[in-house]
Amino acid sequence: MRILKILTLGLCLPALLASCTVKIPEPEEEAAPPEPALEEPKQVEPPSPLPVQTPEPVMKPSKPTRPLRILRAQGTRIVDENGNPVILRGCNLGNWFLLEMWMWDIDDVRDQYEFEQILSRRFGDETKDRLMDVFRESWIRLRDFEMVRRFGFNCIRLPFHYSLLEDDAHPFQLKPDAFRWLDAAVEMARKYKLYVILDLHGTPGGQSDDHTTGRAGRNLLYKKEEYRKRTAWLWGEIAKHYRDSETIAAYDLINEPYGAKSDAERKTLVTLVDDIYRSIRAVDTNHLILASATMGGFRFYGKPADHGWENFGFTQHFYPGLFGQDPTPESHALFISRTLPPLDAYLKEVQAPFLVGEFNVVFERVGGAALMRHYFDLYGERGWAATMWAYKLLKRKGGMGFNTWSLVVNKDPLPGVSIRTSSIDEIEGYFRWMGEMEYEVFEN
């Protein structure tokens, strides 16, 4: 009977979702306490010495919201300074501070490491660094934070690679301009009253074999103590820098530590998380800390209180119907009915808040935009934070299409530029074009 009910839910899901109205609710007409005015957005200049080549598009300021305040864990909830629950809903600004080649339709480069190596071999390290800064200046700009707010979101998850702050040539030493890009992102988010979840997407040594760590095929974090010490040290420096920031919602310690597969590796991961926790808490007792699930989940961490971990929660990524599963309504129905209830019960047992750090339905035929909205609602009902993957990607032919991983894409076809063969001027022009191109928006 239970199986029949689940399959029935799966078969009915398309019709159920088709009846949903997907839009941001209109503001209530009833009187409300006055809110502080949102200052007119100012241009956030990219760090020197880069000049802004083109002005930002003029965007209409979004509806003012109350000032951001530091958030904390209270049982399974994320709450503000008055103990009021805050439901974080948002998206990931992927491919900005850690490159993923598929997100801008590059199929002849493996990962960020190879990408930078190609630029260095062709033009030298100094020019490579300058071109990377031009890319970062352009991929996400102030207009993008306004667009995120248009979707009704109140936060972003910000993936970044450790080399943005520190590199292998100078371990345990911050770059002179280490925080300039993270600071620029946090400032732009603040202007639109968007919380920021800082996500260490690629650790020293790499936390898995995947290209999403910035360098595929490494997975050395669990094997070499130096990489673990550098990771804990780096989080201490990040926390020292942002300890008083009301824009920062949480520290997401290690994205997808999927390389921890054995019991011994998971035990090493727990020890590392404890080291990171203590490195952060030595300078910052304010901010929520999140430990990420491996492929097998996160129960191996145990109860946070048993470790002495306070203001602490967990995060996991969900892609039912993808990565080896069949993309069907039934796969989502089974996930909703079988995975979410016991997960909710466990979080209540260990008294920890939760972030669904990445998720996406992708396929229109299994529910598309309506199912995405349904997931935001399901997670929000449980008090969970949720940030979909991803805000933006590029397609060679341009246009949103029916199946999408992003909220915005390039409307027009991409210029025919290759980092392997194109000139410096062509590559730089292509990067700058990304900051001013016209978007096609996933309006649903």
Side-chain angles (χ1 to χ4, degrees), residues 308-381:
W309 297 342
E310 298 178 350
N311 200 14
F312 190 95
F314 296 107
T315 179
Q316 191 167 357
H317 302 167
F318 297 129
Y319 292 108
L322 298 172
F323 305 113
Q325 300 179 8
D326 292 328
T328 63
E330 289 79 8
S331 65
H332 288 278
L334 290 170
F335 169 76
I336 290 170
S337 61
R338 289 185 174 179
T339 300
L340 298 188
L343 176 59
D344 191 33
Y346 179 74
L347 290 165
K348 290 176 180 176
E349 176 186 337
V350 300
Q351 285 294 285
F354 189 60
L355 164 69
V356 183
E358 297 180 20
F359 67 103
N360 201 316
V361 171
V362 179
F363 294 102
E364 181 69 23
R365 68 178 183 273
V366 305
L371 184 52
M372 285 296 288
R373 174 61 180 268
H374 188 54
Y375 274 125
F376 273 113
D377 291 343
L378 285 173
Y379 299 148
E381 288 166 4

Side-chain angles (χ1 to χ4, degrees), residues 266-301:
R266 285 188 287 270
K267 184 177 179 180
T268 298
L269 180 58
V270 174
T271 301
L272 172 57
V273 167
D274 187 65
D275 290 342
I276 297 173
Y277 174 87
R278 300 190 187 287
S279 180
I280 291 173
R281 288 293 180 245
V283 295
D284 179 357
T285 59
N286 291 325
H287 288 100
L288 174 64
I289 295 174
L290 301 171
S292 182
T294 64
M295 291 293 287
F298 58 86
R299 296 192 181 208
F300 64 90
Y301 288 108

Side-chain angles (χ1 to χ4, degrees), residues 68-73 78-79 86-89 154-158 186 189 193-199 235 242-252 281 284 286-290 311-313 353 355 385 387:
L68 303 180
R69 292 290 185 264
I70 289 178
L71 305 178
R72 295 186 58 83
I78 298 173
V79 301
V86 175
I87 306 300
L88 297 174
R89 296 184 176 93
N154 62 0
C155 79
I156 59 162
R157 182 171 179 257
L158 188 62
V186 171
K193 302 297 186 285
L194 293 165
Y195 282 106
V196 175
I197 298 170
L198 290 176
D199 155 40
W235 268 116
Y242 289 114
R243 59 189 167 195
D244 297 320
S245 174
E246 296 176 330
T247 307
I248 302 299
Y251 301 138
D252 188 343
R281 288 293 180 245
D284 179 357
N286 291 325
H287 288 100
L288 174 64
I289 295 174
L290 301 171
N311 200 14
F312 190 95
L355 164 69
T387 50

